[in-house]
Amino acid sequence: MATVKVDKSNFQTDVLDASVPVVVDFWAEWCGPCKMIAPALEDIATELGAKVKIAKLNIDENPELAAQFGVRSIPTLMIFKGGEMADMKVGAAPKTALSHWINGNLA
């Protein structure tokens, strides 16, 4: 499954009400490290398929959601399960580390 774009209009449905865990990537167009991890997240989304949804949320277009979840620096990744934030990772990391973190939160 490819990554999906979320914003304030579909965050409730696509993230909080999702039937599978959702990784939300809080990012911005001007953020170099965000662009660095984007291909890794696309690969992980494809590899894990229906086990997890990976969503991208542009903080410049959705500042209220970034503020609601206390995002202070980007990239910030949050895993949501059952409508609640289960874990958070701040900063860029290699694909292997991102994959390990995501898989560790699926159990």
Side-chain angles (χ1 to χ4, degrees):
M1 175 187 292
T3 59
V4 296
K5 182 180 175 182
V6 292
D7 57 32
K8 61 184 174 213
S9 70
N10 64 354
F11 193 85
Q12 181 70 41
T13 335
D14 288 2
V15 177
L16 301 179
D17 296 340
S19 58
V20 296
V22 182
V23 176
V24 179
D25 173 20
F26 291 84
W27 73 286
E29 201 59 53
W30 48 263
C31 169
C34 299
K35 290 181 177 184
M36 270 179 28
I37 67 167
L41 292 175
E42 290 287 345
D43 288 349
I44 292 166
T46 302
E47 289 164 13
L48 293 177
K51 289 192 236 170
V52 68
K53 181 190 292 186
I54 298 185
K56 299 183 70 62
L57 185 136
N58 186 317
I59 65 162
D60 288 336
E61 296 170 0
N62 302 279
E64 61 287 328
L65 284 171
Q68 178 182 339
F69 291 102
V71 174
R72 294 176 183 257
S73 69
I74 54 174
T76 291
L77 301 171
M78 293 183 185
I79 294 184
F80 290 84
K81 293 183 190 174
E84 300 287 322
M85 186 188 44
D87 201 3
M88 177 172 64
K89 183 173 190 59
V90 179
K95 180 184 172 188
T96 51
L98 294 172
S99 186
H100 181 74
W101 177 71
I102 292 168
N103 277 304
N105 276 286
L106 296 182

